[in-house]
């Protein structure tokens, strides 16, 4: 057996830019809100058009990234997945929790296109990313359906709860204050219920930062109502 | 935008044990030879049954690992995928090549079961792994079909070449020298054509190490013939 190194050091090859300056509101998996737009911008050493040659022929890609908002020195063998109500403990390796021995994230996102910009080189335009703005990326790989897609895979605990979708009431005068390009994505994020695990106070006003705006809303039963929009 | 660290250091959480002491013969993607058995054994700090609680309810898992046989200090923006005959250059991020800025591997494998052994704790029994014996593993995640499976994803260059399957002639007296449990996996690996990119000398005898044996074979056209088995 070859001797394995005990540690490996990774270099940041890119950062992603998304509408989420904080963790609050980020969908719990990639692909849930396809309208969410992200831009992957390479760090200077990797700004090379040759390095992405042929990537545009794939419709989906993998991002391997760091849960940069969740780095801890210690680890816990169990975590509480929000999908189980936040009360049931599961093994950390049976979840996609950010709090894991190595804070590595893995997301498949749709590749909408590649733009070549004079200042930063190739930029990957992606849809559906569940990453915070500025997240460091360590690898980009093509999604290869014959190897990566297992339609009959058992869903484990993720199949135990239905997707929870809220009805979003977005008063037109408030929606008009959101840039046109952000409206569908923001509405999709709100429908996915961005509240922390299962709070149920209909009086509570939540605030969420999304791109250039801060959104305020309340949730009563299955209805989310936007109550205010402010420029950040 | 949060400030991102320029580097991240990963800890080895486990090693995988497979039948491949060297790179020669390893399938080019995971899942191609389902009979290939692997054992994921945690490093001492992570030998904790709680950390895999609930994982047995998933049929597939992701392994994030290091191309420990391919670590280099420099990187090249392009590589030559074997599926394109070894002559066409593609961007490194458009391929799964081991030679990439961060030598991270990503494989989905079938989880056959979890054994709890007094000496090493929980052991994940997996099928279809494309990893060399002793490969260090940095993360294990459940495969979540609703987020990870994109049946309609475009295959890029990986769709340009058909899978190449050889007919394997394995004389019974030689097959009898291979441990029963290894026979189907070894035959599957040979059918996948373990030769380096497209060599075509029918006289050449190849040698491949697989578990407890060394296999010798020739290839003439679409027929692979096993010519010898030796104990390693």
């Amino acid at each position: 057996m070859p001797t394995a190194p005990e540690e490996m050091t990774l270099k940041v090859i890119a950062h992603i830019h998304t509408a989420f300056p904080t963790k609050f509101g980020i969908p719990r998996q990639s692909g849930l809100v396809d309208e969410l737009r992200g831009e992957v911008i390479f760090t200077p050493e990797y700004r090379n058009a040759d390095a992405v040659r042929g990537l545009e022929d794939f419709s989906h890609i993998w991002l391997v990234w760091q849960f940069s908002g969740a780095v801890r020195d210690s680890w816990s063998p169990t975590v509480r997945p929000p999908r189980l109500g936040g009360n049931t403990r599961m093994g950390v390796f049976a979840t996609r929790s950010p709090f894991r021995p190595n804070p590595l994230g893995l997301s498949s996102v749709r590749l909408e296109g590649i733009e070549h910009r004079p200042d930063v080189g190739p930029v990957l335009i992606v849809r559906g990313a569940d990453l915070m703005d500025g997240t460091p990326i360590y690898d980009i790989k093509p999604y290869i359906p014959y190897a990566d897609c297992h339609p009959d895979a058992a869903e484990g605990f993720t199949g135990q709860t239905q997707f929870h979708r809220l009805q979003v009431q977005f008063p037109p005068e408030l929606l008009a204050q959101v840039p046109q390009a952000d409206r569908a994505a923001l509405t999709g994020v709100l429908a996915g219920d961005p509240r922390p695990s299962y709070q149920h106070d209909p009086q509570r006003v939540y605030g969420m930062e999304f791109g250039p705006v801060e959104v305020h809303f309340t949730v009563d039963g299955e209805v989310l109502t936007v109550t205010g929009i402010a420029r950040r």
Side-chain angles (χ1 to χ4, degrees), chain A:
Chain A
M1 193 187 102
T3 305
E6 280 311 298
E7 293 190 335
M8 170 167 53
T9 300
L10 301 181
K11 295 163 281 189
V12 177
I13 63 158
H15 295 91
I16 191 168
H17 296 282
T18 70
F20 297 104
T22 70
K23 282 185 281 183
F24 186 51
I26 300 179
R28 295 193 173 91
Q29 297 294 338
S30 60
L32 294 182
V33 183
D34 186 68
E35 293 86 355
L36 281 172
R37 188 177 189 276
E39 293 192 353
V40 176
I41 296 187
F42 289 91
T43 52
E45 184 178 354
Y46 304 100
R47 287 175 187 168
N48 187 318
D50 287 337
V52 296
R53 187 194 306 167
L55 190 61
E56 67 278 5
D57 293 333
F58 293 88
S59 60
H60 291 72
I61 58 176
W62 289 108
L63 303 176
V64 183
W65 48 280
Q66 184 191 31
F67 285 103
S68 47
V71 176
R72 292 178 176 181
D73 284 336
S74 60
W75 76 292
S76 168
T78 57
V79 296
R80 295 186 178 94
R83 299 199 74 185
L84 295 178
N87 298 318
T88 305
R89 288 199 165 273
M90 300 291 282
V92 65
F93 298 124
T95 78
R96 298 283 193 104
S97 168
F99 302 107
R100 49 203 316 115
N102 291 305
L104 285 174
L106 177 64
S107 301
S108 58
V109 296
R110 191 160 64 79
L111 178 64
E112 187 170 271
I114 303 178
E115 292 179 10
H116 293 271
R117 299 185 190 158
D119 52 339
V120 294
V123 176
L124 311 185
I125 312 300
V126 301
R127 293 283 180 175
D130 55 340
L131 282 70
M132 193 163 70
D133 187 36
T135 295
I137 293 177
Y138 296 97
D139 206 358
I140 294 163
K141 296 177 191 286
Y143 185 94
I144 301 182
Y146 81 77
D148 298 338
C149 186
H150 307 286
D152 299 327
E155 321 173 278
F157 73 85
T158 69
Q160 290 180 31
T161 49
Q162 288 295 318
F163 268 109
H164 180 61
R165 304 294 289 176
L166 299 176
Q167 179 192 338
V168 176
Q169 297 196 331
F170 211 136
E173 68 277 16
L174 295 179
L175 190 60
Q177 298 178 41
V178 178
Q180 179 90 44
D182 290 333
R183 290 177 194 169
L186 175 56
T187 305
V189 167
L190 293 173
D193 194 354
R195 288 177 298 174
S197 45
Y198 311 111
Q199 297 186 352
H200 290 298
D201 177 0
Q203 306 302 321
R204 178 163 172 178
V205 178
Y206 297 89
M208 186 184 101
E209 299 180 43
F210 187 85
V213 298
E214 182 165 340
V215 186
H216 290 96
F217 60 90
T218 58
V219 184
D220 190 356
E222 296 299 303
V223 178
L224 181 151
T225 304
V226 177
T227 59
I229 293 286
R231 284 267 150 186
R232 294 212 289 131

